[in-house]
Amino acid sequence: MAEVILKPTGNFDLTVEAEVVTPDNFAGKSAQDIGKLLVWQGPKQFPISDFFEVRGNGGSSAQDTTIVIDGDVIRVKRIGEGMTAGKIQVKGSTGMHTGAAMIGGEILVEGNTDSWPGMEMKGGLLHITGNALDHVGSAYRGSWHGMTGGRIVIDGNAGNQVGGGMSGGEIIVGGNVDNFCGTRMNGGLIAVKGNAIRTVGAEMTGGTLVIGGTIDKFTPGFMQTAVESDLKFNDIECPGEYKKFAGDYAIPQKGKGVLYVSAQNNEDL
Amino acid sequence: MAGTIAIKNGHVFDPLNEIKGDRMDIYIRNGKVVTELSAAELKDAKEIDASGKTVMPGGVDSHSHVAGAKVNVGRMMRPEDHYKFYQKKTPLTHSGCGYSVPSVYLGGYEYSKMGYTTVFEAAVPPMEARHTHEEMRSTPMIDMGGYLVLGNNWFLMRYLKEGDIEKAAAYIAWMMRTHKTYGIKCVNPAGVENWGWGENVNSLDQANIHFEVTPEDIIKGLAELNEMLGFSMPVHLHANNLGHPGCWEITRDSLKIPKSVKAKPKDPNVEWAETKVNPKRHESVYLTHCQFNAFGGTSWRDFESGVKGITDYVNSHEHVVMDSGCVPFGDATVMTGDGPAIHDLYVLTGSKWSNTDVECECGSGVLPFTYLKSNPVHSVQWAMGLEVLLYVKDAWKSIMTTDSPNGGPFIKYPQVIAWLMSNKARQDTLNECHKWASDRAGLASETREMTLNEIAIVTRANAARTIGLSHSKGTLGIGADGDVAIYDINPAKLEVSDYESIIRAFENAAYTVKGGEVVCQKGEIVAIPEKKTYYTDITVNAEEEKKMIDDVKNWFKYYTIGFSNYPTPEKYLANPTPIKIDAEV
C-alpha cells in the first residue's frame, strides 16, 4: 500500500476547497504530480504544493493509496469528497464537507470536523474521533435524500440535523447530539449513545433512530408501541431497556419510522 | 463576411420543401438562405464540409418553460438541482448551473448545443411579462417569444359572459402589444380562477364561481377570437383536469369545441421563405403536452394510457395539432399555470411546492418531481409520451417536447429522439421499466420507427409551421433565416439499433449555425449570436379599443400595480421583432 503524506505548511487564511484530495485523484501520480493538482482558495486556483509539503507517491489504484494529512486542516474543505476507494487519515481536525458524497473507502479524522461531514454519502466509512458540527450525513440544502449508504462513526458529540433526510446507511454517535436529529429521515439507522435536545425524528417516515441518553423535549407526533431490551443491529449494540415509538404521525402521518428511547433515562415518557 | 457560409455535400432534411436526405449544398448570405454565392463571396465565406452528415434547419421548440416568474421560483426552491450540474465560465460564455431549471445563460447554451435556434416560452402571465422579457433578453443563442396566459383573465371572462366579442378582441390585441407576447395560451380554462377559492372545475359545462363561464365558453371564445384577430398560431390549449386519471375524455371533448372554427391566420408583414408545402397553419387549436392530458382509468389503481382516444381523434380531424410532453425519466421540475394541478401533486407526493395567484389574471404552481422507471404510473407516462408521437400517423400533426421541465428537462430531447427512431431503444427501456409500462400502454407492440425526415418534422418544421414562423424558421428554403443544425449522422449508414450513437449525435450537434454564423461546434460555444424576440403587433378598431381601455383603467384600482407601470416597453426585449397583423376588427 502506497502512502502519500501531506504536511500542511501554507497560508490557510481563506478556506481551501480540496475536493481533489482523494485516493482516486492521487493514484498513479508521483509526489511531484500530486503537488501540481489545483485547489481553490477564494476565487483563485493554486497547486496543492502551495499549501502542503507532499511526500510519497500514489499507489497503482485508488484502493492501494493511503493519504495521510499530518496536522490540522480546519480551514480545508471537501477532503475525500466523492472518493470511491482507498484510505485517508487525518492527524488533526478537518473543515466542512469532509467525505461528502463519498462512495467507498475509508476516512479517519483524528480530531474534530466542521459541518456537513458525509453529506449525501453513498458508501464507505467515515470515522471522526472527536466532535462534529451540524448536518452529519444529511441532505444538501433543498434536497430530499441524505446519506444512502456507508457508515459514519463519531466518537464525540455531533451538532444539529444529524442524518437530515437520511435514506440509508448508519450513523453512530458516541456522545450527545443537538436539535433535529434524524429529521425527515426515511431509511437507515442513527444510534446516539448520549443525549438529544429536541425535535428527534421530526417528520421521519422510515428508518430507525436510537437515543441512549435523555431527550429534553420529546417530539409530539410519536406513539409508543412496545418496550424492548438490548437492541442489536448487526454489529451495533445498544444495551439496556428501550421504549419503542412509531412516527412521525404529525405531518407525514405515516408512522413507519421507529424511534427507540432509553427507558431508564426517560422515565417520564 | 459575417453571416455568409457554404455548407457542402450534407444530407439535407427540409420537410417544408420535401427534401428528404438529398445530398446538396446550402448557401447563406447575410444571415439568409440563398440559391448560390458568387465566386467572390465563396472566397470570403466560411465553408463547412458536411459530407456524411445530417443537415436540418435549426431546431424550434414551440413549448418550453425557460423564462419568467415560475421558472425563477423553480430555480429558487431547488438549490439541490443546481450544485451538481454546473458549467464554469469561459472567455466567451457565462457560468451557469441547474439541471432541470438551468440559469438563463446555461439554458441558451444547452439549447444551442443540441442544434436548436428558436424557443418559445409557453406561459407568460401578463403581470410577469416584464420579468419574463428580462430573462428572455438574457438568454443567449436563441430567438424567443412567449405566449400570453389568458384562459382565466377577468376581463376576458367578463366580456365572454356578456358576449361582447368586439371588446374582447380589442382587449387581446391590446394585451399582446402591451406585454410584447406572441400568441394566446389557455390553461385549465375556468379552473384556475376557481383555485383562488380552493376549487377547480371538473367538466366542460361547469360554470366557475362569480364569472359563471364554463371551460367550453372560454375555449370556444378564445378560438374564435384567435381567428378573428388572425394570429399566426392557433390557440395554445392546456386542457382541464390535467394530471387526473381519466382526463383523456375531457381533453378529446375540449378538442371538439373549436371543430367548427376555421383557421384564418392573417398575412403578417413578413417575407416568406420558399416552401413546397403550404407553410400556413390550418388548425384552430394546438393541444399542448398531450401526455399529461391523456390519462386513462378512474384512479391511480387502474391508471392506464388513454392516448389512443386522443390520437384517434387527431388522426381523423384536421383542426388539431399537438405536442407530446414526453417523460424521459429522472429529475424534473413541474411548473405550470395550472395552480390546482400542482396542489393535487403536492397532496400526492408530499413534496415541497409553491403556488401563486396572479391577481385577476391567472395562477401558477411549481413542484420538484422525479420520474422513476420503477414507479408504475411514471413508467406508463413514459410510454404514453412516445405513443402520442408514434400513434399520430401524419407527423405534421405532432411536435416533440418534454414540456420542459415538466416531463423532463429539454436536454433529454436526444434521448426521446432515440426512442422514437429505434424500436430496440424502446424495448430495452421497457425491460427496465415497471411492468405497467407494457401492460397498461400499447407501446410494447408499436413497431414504428421514425425516420430522420419525421424527426425533422416533429422537432423543427412542424413546430415552426404551427406557430406561424415558417416564413423564416424550420426550413432551409430560399429566404429563410440561416439557422442550420448539422449532426454527425450519416443517413446512408445509420443503424437505428445502435441508438447510443443517435443520442450522442443529437446531444452535441457537429455545428449549430445561427444566422449564417457558426455559434456552436461539437458541444462547444464558439460565438454568441444576436438574438430576436418575436411578438405580435395587432391593430384593431381604435374606437373599440378606447372603450375597452376605459373598462381596464376603471378596474385597475383593484390591481397592486399602477396602470402606467403595467406595460412592457420594447427596451425590455432583445431585438424586438414585431409580427404586424392588421386585424380589421
Side-chain angles (χ1 to χ4, degrees):
Chain A
M1 188 129 195
E3 206 170 73
V4 180
I5 299 169
L6 299 179
K7 190 162 179 63
T9 55
N11 165 12
F12 293 99
D13 53 353
L14 277 179
T15 52
V16 171
E17 308 250 339
E19 73 275 22
V20 291
V21 179
T22 62
D24 303 76
N25 286 322
F26 284 13
K29 291 194 174 73
S30 67
Q32 213 182 359
D33 291 343
I34 292 168
K36 284 179 192 158
L37 292 172
L38 296 174
V39 294
W40 288 95
Q41 188 181 37
K44 287 187 183 152
Q45 280 185 302
F46 301 98
I48 286 184
S49 56
D50 278 15
F51 299 99
F52 295 96
E53 179 193 323
V54 184
R55 274 181 286 144
N57 302 326
S60 56
S61 68
Q63 209 168 352
D64 297 329
T65 304
T66 297
I67 301 171
V68 179
I69 300 178
D70 194 4
D72 268 334
V73 280
I74 299 165
R75 304 286 289 166
V76 181
K77 296 179 185 175
R78 301 170 72 183
I79 291 168
E81 182 174 299
M83 67 186 268
T84 62
K87 193 176 169 188
I88 298 179
Q89 184 188 3
V90 187
K91 296 181 174 169
S93 300
T94 58
M96 287 205 271
H97 294 267
T98 303
M102 72 185 279
I103 293 160
E106 195 183 327
I107 300 178
L108 172 63
V109 180
E110 296 169 354
N112 304 325
T113 182
D114 208 316
S115 298
W116 302 102
M119 179 198 94
E120 295 189 6
M121 147 178 194
K122 298 182 181 75
L125 171 67
L126 172 61
H127 185 178
I128 295 152
T129 61
N131 304 322
L133 286 185
D134 304 334
H135 302 288
V136 175
S138 81
Y140 183 67
R141 303 260 187 235
S143 173
W144 291 86
H145 292 284
M147 69 186 286
T148 50
R151 174 180 282 191
I152 302 177
V153 180
I154 293 162
D155 296 346
N157 302 325
N160 301 303
Q161 289 242 10
V162 171
M166 179 173 181
S167 291
E170 296 148 350
I171 300 177
I172 302 145
V173 182
N176 306 324
V177 295
D178 291 344
N179 310 298
F180 293 100
C181 179
T183 187
R184 286 200 296 105
M185 169 175 190
N186 51 71
L189 168 75
I190 302 176
V192 179
K193 307 282 182 194
N195 309 325
I197 300 173
R198 61 175 190 129
T199 41
V200 174
E203 290 190 39
M204 78 186 283
T205 54
T208 308
L209 223 168
V210 186
I211 304 288
T214 58
I215 299 178
D216 273 6
K217 294 191 181 74
F218 193 72
T219 317
F222 284 81
M223 294 208 307
Q224 189 171 346
T225 53
V227 177
E228 288 177 18
S229 296
D230 298 329
L231 308 175
K232 203 163 182 300
F233 309 95
N234 297 323
D235 60 329
I236 301 164
E237 292 184 19
C238 304
E241 193 172 79
Y242 287 85
K243 292 176 184 171
K244 185 180 184 182
F245 293 87
D248 184 348
Y249 285 104
I251 294 170
Q253 302 186 347
K254 288 199 172 142
K256 287 184 183 162
V258 178
L259 171 60
Y260 289 102
V261 183
S262 164
Q264 187 195 340
N265 296 327
N266 297 280
E267 282 177 351
D268 52 332
L269 274 184
Chain B
M1 213 183 307
T4 302
I5 200 167
I7 299 162
K8 297 269 184 127
N9 277 321
H11 295 269
V12 175
F13 291 86
D14 181 6
L16 278 162
N17 280 306
E18 294 177 338
I19 298 168
K20 301 177 179 175
D22 305 353
R23 291 192 70 168
M24 53 192 285
D25 304 339
I26 302 287
Y27 298 104
I28 299 164
R29 185 197 302 130
N30 296 332
K32 296 272 182 193
V33 179
V34 292
T35 336
E36 57 181 0
L37 296 175
S38 69
E41 285 167 335
L42 259 177
K43 229 177 86 191
D44 290 341
K46 184 181 165 63
E47 194 179 303
I48 292 176
D49 177 17
S51 50
K53 292 186 166 62
T54 293
V55 176
M56 290 184 183
V60 178
D61 195 342
S62 56
H63 186 106
S64 181
H65 301 274
V66 284
K70 68 188 175 316
V71 185
N72 217 28
V73 167
R75 293 186 188 112
M76 285 189 288
M77 71 192 279
R78 299 211 64 186
E80 80 281 9
D81 187 59
H82 290 65
Y83 81 106
K84 283 181 190 159
F85 197 88
Y86 57 89
Q87 266 169 33
K88 288 176 185 160
K89 77 174 190 135
T90 69
L92 199 61
T93 62
H94 274 256
S95 60
C97 62
Y99 177 75
S100 66
V101 268
S103 58
V104 282
Y105 288 102
L106 191 58
Y109 304 142
E110 294 287 321
Y111 260 117
S112 194
K113 284 177 190 175
M114 300 191 307
Y116 275 70
T117 54
T118 310
V119 178
F120 272 65
E121 162 59 43
V124 184
M127 269 183 82
E128 315 283 1
R130 246 185 221 214
H131 176 182
T132 311
H133 277 296
E134 283 179 315
E135 291 199 358
M136 291 205 284
R137 185 177 61 183
S138 295
T139 306
M141 318 302 288
I142 44 181
D143 293 337
M144 299 180 84
Y147 310 144
L148 194 64
V149 186
L150 289 173
N152 289 271
N153 188 288
W154 283 22
F155 290 97
L156 273 177
M157 287 191 290
R158 204 168 73 192
Y159 290 146
L160 289 175
K161 176 72 188 165
E162 290 164 358
D164 201 339
I165 294 301
E166 282 75 24
K167 266 193 192 165
Y171 179 73
I172 292 176
W174 174 74
M175 286 288 273
M176 283 298 156
R177 278 202 319 274
T178 299
H179 298 299
K180 308 289 182 287
T181 42
Y182 187 80
I184 300 173
K185 169 85 178 280
C186 173
V187 178
N188 185 359
V192 176
E193 172 53 29
N194 270 11
W195 178 233
W197 283 265
E199 311 263 337
N200 199 347
V201 294
N202 303 309
S203 67
L204 290 171
D205 55 3
Q206 184 187 344
N208 69 359
I209 313 168
H210 305 120
F211 289 91
E212 293 176 337
V213 287
T214 64
E216 187 170 355
D217 296 339
I218 295 177
I219 296 171
K220 188 157 187 291
L222 285 180
E224 283 171 354
L225 285 160
N226 192 70
E227 302 313 331
M228 200 167 141
L229 290 162
F231 274 100
S232 299
M233 62 177 267
V235 158
H236 197 70
L237 178 67
H238 158 137
N240 299 88
N241 263 356
L242 173 133
H244 296 166
C247 67
W248 77 269
E249 286 185 65
I250 198 170
T251 307
R252 182 207 49 202
D253 294 345
S254 302
L255 296 179
K256 285 179 183 168
I257 296 169
K259 189 178 165 191
S260 58
V261 178
K262 242 187 118 40
K264 281 181 270 180
K266 291 219 164 67
D267 226 342
N269 65 329
V270 290
E271 301 262 332
W272 288 82
E274 279 178 24
T275 53
K276 263 192 196 157
V277 176
N278 177 9
K280 283 202 183 166
R281 70 177 169 99
H282 48 264
E283 298 90 352
S284 55
V285 62
Y286 172 174
L287 174 70
T288 187
H289 40 71
C290 178
Q291 175 269 130
F292 291 106
N293 277 310
F295 290 8
T298 58
S299 73
W300 295 115
R301 284 172 202 281
D302 63 357
F303 176 79
E304 61 181 5
S305 165
V307 168
K308 200 149 187 343
I310 296 179
T311 50
D312 281 352
Y313 186 82
V314 172
N315 279 331
S316 57
H317 290 82
E318 286 299 311
H319 69 286
V320 186
V321 60
M322 63 185 186
D323 74 55
S324 59
C326 291
V327 171
F329 291 118
D331 275 343
T333 303
V334 188
M335 54 175 68
T336 167
D338 197 344
I342 291 288
H343 178 259
D344 293 343
L345 262 185
Y346 157 69
V347 173
L348 199 65
T349 61
S351 191
K352 54 184 172 183
W353 64 298
S354 164
N355 246 201
T356 304
D357 175 61
V358 183
E359 55 193 72
C360 313
E361 295 186 336
C362 53
S364 70
V366 184
L367 174 137
F369 204 86
T370 307
Y371 294 94
L372 301 168
K373 286 178 183 163
S374 56
N375 181 298
V377 172
H378 303 174
S379 64
V380 179
Q381 283 187 278
W382 164 76
M384 287 166 61
L386 301 176
E387 283 180 359
V388 168
L389 292 162
L390 294 168
Y391 284 1
V392 175
K393 294 193 188 95
D394 178 2
W396 285 106
K397 286 181 166 180
S398 58
I399 295 164
M400 187 200 84
T401 67
T402 60
D403 187 17
S404 174
N406 283 287
F410 62 81
I411 49 175
K412 292 283 189 74
Y413 284 177
Q415 170 72 71
V416 178
I417 291 173
W419 279 320
L420 293 173
M421 289 185 71
S422 163
N423 190 23
K424 182 166 186 298
R426 295 198 294 270
Q427 297 304 329
D428 286 357
T429 306
L430 265 175
N431 291 336
E432 296 167 7
C433 278
H434 191 278
K435 63 181 174 54
W436 277 27
S438 315
D439 297 351
R440 302 195 178 204
L443 187 72
S445 53
E446 175 64 55
T447 54
R448 179 175 167 193
E449 293 183 326
M450 279 196 171
T451 60
L452 279 168
N453 186 57
E454 285 171 317
I455 294 296
I457 295 174
V458 299
T459 59
R460 46 260 293 153
N462 197 30
R465 184 198 63 92
T466 298
I467 61 174
L469 273 184
S470 45
H471 51 79
S472 57
K473 304 287 183 190
T475 172
L476 295 170
I478 305 305
D481 281 0
D483 295 358
V484 190
I486 305 172
Y487 297 109
D488 261 324
I489 295 175
N490 187 343
K493 293 184 186 159
L494 177 66
E495 290 283 345
V496 291
S497 57
D498 175 22
Y499 53 86
E500 293 292 341
S501 69
I502 298 177
I503 298 177
R504 273 198 306 277
F506 279 102
E507 262 173 359
N508 289 316
Y511 296 90
T512 304
V513 177
K514 174 87 173 36
E517 182 185 11
V518 177
V519 295
C520 189
Q521 213 171 326
K522 285 207 164 78
E524 199 186 329
I525 306 294
V526 294
I528 309 289
E530 286 255 312
K531 64 172 292 180
K532 282 184 274 197
T533 311
Y534 291 101
Y535 71 95
T536 304
D537 183 0
I538 298 189
T539 40
V540 291
N541 182 315
E543 200 64 20
E544 212 53 58
E545 181 161 321
K546 204 173 155 294
K547 279 192 271 173
M548 175 274 302
I549 292 278
D550 287 343
D551 282 356
V552 175
K553 276 188 173 159
N554 187 34
W555 189 254
F556 242 77
K557 61 187 175 212
Y558 298 112
Y559 269 60
T560 52
I561 184 173
F563 183 76
S564 54
N565 295 326
Y566 191 54
T568 308
E570 271 203 344
K571 67 176 181 187
Y572 281 82
L573 279 62
N575 270 331
T577 309
I579 304 290
K580 282 200 164 57
I581 293 172
D582 185 3
E584 305 152 14
V585 177

